[in-house]
Amino acid sequence: MTVVIATRDRREELLRTLRRLAALPERPPVVVVDNGSADGSADAVRQTFPDVEVIRLSRNLGAPARNLGVMAAGTPYVAFCDDDSWWEPGALALAAETFDAHPRLGLLAAHTVVGENRTSDPINAALGAAPLTDAGQPGPAVLGFLACASVVRRQAFLEAGGFSALLFFPGEERLLAYDLAALGWERCYVPEVVAVHQPSPRRAPVPERRRAEMRNALLTVWLRRPSGVALRETVRLAVRAVRDRDARGAVLAALRRMPRALDDRRLLPPPVEAEARLVEAGRR
């Protein structure tokens, strides 16, 4: 099991996460992909943790920076961290055992606890309640996950193409889940595998992040879902945009990326589309 971390301009938080990982009983190899940091993150890691592999980028690639870390990994399984998250002792060993026991498992979504109080992240309830068939899987089947609390089979991740450069960040997870499912890889939530998230105060402003999330949700629909679904979601966002400045920004940003999305458009196989509709109905 290798741990891959994508980071940008959060040196102290990154060093804290690396200290947490170094203390794990599994002692996993770690690859840090530095997304063009200007705060000396890469040099600090090399000086403080010489065993950690650092991939230093000249610009910010967003979520797809993780793809480079996965390609550099020399293990069959890869766990993701953000610079403000880490894994509980024993979690990675349990994840590896789960993958060993289930050869078609492509992605494991962990249970996420937040902050010093270890509050359950709301995503846990959504993952556990996903209305999908999970016969033979080690936990409830999912079509979404939280990247910083996920583990992938390296082969499956690379076959699916990793995280999309078109989406950049955030909300990149659903498209990868769709593509893993389309290839026949299982994806499931295993609550016994636990990740800790200590959200950084150095985050994108809420309006900027909200616009990006809405933009990527719309682009994901156009990338993989039928035209009727894509048009419906476009109209829905356009109606919101009349009164919502962030929605207007999301629509405009999506339109700028739409030619690339249409070039990459590939409909889900009918069984996966049926699963997507079930999940969609469960969210309403």
Side-chain angles (χ1 to χ4, degrees):
M1 181 78 69
T2 298
V3 175
V4 168
I5 305 172
T7 186
R8 179 175 169 83
D9 289 334
R10 292 182 184 171
R11 181 178 60 190
E12 297 309 315
E13 289 159 295
L14 173 61
L15 294 176
R16 177 190 63 187
T17 288
L18 291 174
R19 286 192 292 270
R20 295 274 190 172
L21 296 176
L24 292 178
E26 297 95 330
R27 301 298 299 272
V30 179
V31 179
V32 170
V33 186
D34 185 351
N35 258 327
S37 293
D39 66 350
S41 291
D43 290 337
V45 172
R46 287 182 173 133
Q47 292 168 9
T48 311
F49 298 94
D51 292 336
V52 170
E53 181 176 353
V54 179
I55 301 174
R56 192 173 197 163
L57 305 180
S58 60
R59 61 188 180 91
N60 184 7
L61 297 185
R66 301 186 188 112
N67 301 350
L68 301 177
V70 175
M71 287 188 281
T75 57
Y77 314 132
V78 176
F80 294 116
C81 282
D82 284 346
D83 40 33
D84 60 357
S85 72
W86 54 88
W87 293 92
E88 284 281 84
L92 298 182
L94 178 56
E97 292 170 6
T98 305
F99 276 99
D100 285 346
H102 297 270
R104 291 304 301 171
L105 181 61
L107 180 140
L108 184 155
H111 182 85
T112 308
V113 296
V114 182
E116 295 180 0
N117 294 330
R118 297 175 62 85
T119 305
S120 178
D121 191 296
I123 196 173
N124 297 324
L127 293 173
L132 304 177
T133 302
D134 54 14
Q137 294 193 47
V142 297
L143 267 181
F145 61 99
L146 186 63
C148 70
S150 64
V151 186
V152 296
R153 188 180 300 272
R154 184 175 181 272
Q155 176 191 350
F157 182 90
L158 295 177
E159 282 184 8
F163 292 108
S164 167
L166 176 65
L167 301 184
F168 189 76
F169 180 82
E172 67 278 6
E173 295 95 341
R174 187 179 300 171
L175 180 61
L176 177 59
Y178 282 168
D179 288 346
L180 287 167
L183 290 169
W185 290 103
E186 296 172 351
R187 307 85 42 219
C188 71
Y189 169 57
V190 180
E192 295 80 10
V193 178
V194 179
V196 182
H197 186 202
Q198 185 80 42
S200 171
R202 302 189 61 182
R203 297 165 68 86
V206 171
E208 180 181 325
R209 187 180 181 95
R210 185 167 174 260
R211 286 194 298 270
E213 287 173 344
M214 289 188 286
R215 175 200 72 200
N216 285 347
L218 183 59
L219 288 171
T220 297
V221 169
W222 277 102
L223 282 161
R224 296 293 180 267
R225 306 291 302 279
S227 298
V229 176
L231 289 170
R232 181 193 69 204
E233 294 304 313
T234 302
V235 170
R236 184 175 294 172
L237 187 58
V239 169
R240 288 181 63 183
V242 174
R243 297 180 179 274
D244 186 330
R245 179 182 298 178
D246 293 339
R248 286 198 295 276
V251 170
L252 292 173
L255 287 174
R256 286 193 290 270
R257 299 180 185 219
M258 194 59 69
R260 288 175 58 197
L262 295 177
D263 283 345
D264 293 341
R265 182 168 165 80
R266 184 173 68 249
L267 292 182
L268 297 173
V272 182
E273 173 59 27
E275 289 190 333
R277 289 175 185 268
L278 281 174
V279 172
E280 195 173 67
R283 288 199 299 264
R284 292 174 183 167

